[in-house]
């Protein structure tokens, strides 16, 4: 009985750790901002995302990840010269928690108003987080819109 319970717990935590590996953290954001947009394809494929849209003229790429339970992560990357901008649209609370917890030790400045949380993060730039209610489809679930604007000194390398 104890072995069955122990193996069940190990399986549960293994599945949870695997699910967390698909979400973006501070290290992932830092990697994306310091590398050019073409390296993002390999990075997101390794995490299990699919390329939803690619526009070479506008230097825009969109990736999507459907998560069990009806949640999703949509990531848009936009290159403006050598700077990269990241937008994450999600209704997965674990994604919000992953970013919030992973940037906690790197926050230089933080401010919050009714609609937006702003974090000035070391080696990344500014992270804006907007939270909305899930609407009529799911009033309990919240939608998170996370925008990362890289610092002026951070440029993507080839």
């Amino acid at each position: 009985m104890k072995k069955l319970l122990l193996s069940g717990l190990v399986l549960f935590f293994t599945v949870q750790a695997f699910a967390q590996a698909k979400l973006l953290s501070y290290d992932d954001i830092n990697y994306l901002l310091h590398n050019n947009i073409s390296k993002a394809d390999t990075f997101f494929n390794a995490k299990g995302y699919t390329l939803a849209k690619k526009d070479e003229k506008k230097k825009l790429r969109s990736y999507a990840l459907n998560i069990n339970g009806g949640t999703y992560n949509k990531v848009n990357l936009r290159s403006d010269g050598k700077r990269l901008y990241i937008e994450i649209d999600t209704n997965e609370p674990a994604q919000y928690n992953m970013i919030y917890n992973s940037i906690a030790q790197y926050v230089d400045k933080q401010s919050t108003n009714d609609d937006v949380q702003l974090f000035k993060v070391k080696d990344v730039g500014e992270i804006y987080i907007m939270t909305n209610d899930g609407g009529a489809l799911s009033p309990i679930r919240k939608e998170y819109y996370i925008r990362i604007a890289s610092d002026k000194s951070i440029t993507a390398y080839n």
Side-chain angles (χ1 to χ4, degrees), residues 8 15 17 36-37 43 72-74 86 88 90 102 106 116 119 137 139 143 146 151:
V15 169
N36 64 18
I37 196 167
F43 175 80
Y72 61 87
N73 254 11
K74 295 178 184 174
I86 302 171
I88 303 169
T90 185
S102 66
Y106 302 105
V116 180
F119 301 95
L137 295 176
E143 293 180 351
I146 303 164
D151 197 37

Side-chain angles (χ1 to χ4, degrees), residues 2 19 25 30 34 47 50 66 86 101 124 128 142 152:
K2 287 183 182 181
S25 67
N30 198 1
H34 285 87
K47 281 204 166 270
T50 57
N66 292 323
I86 302 171
N101 292 333
V124 168
Y128 302 90
K142 292 187 177 196
K152 290 179 183 179

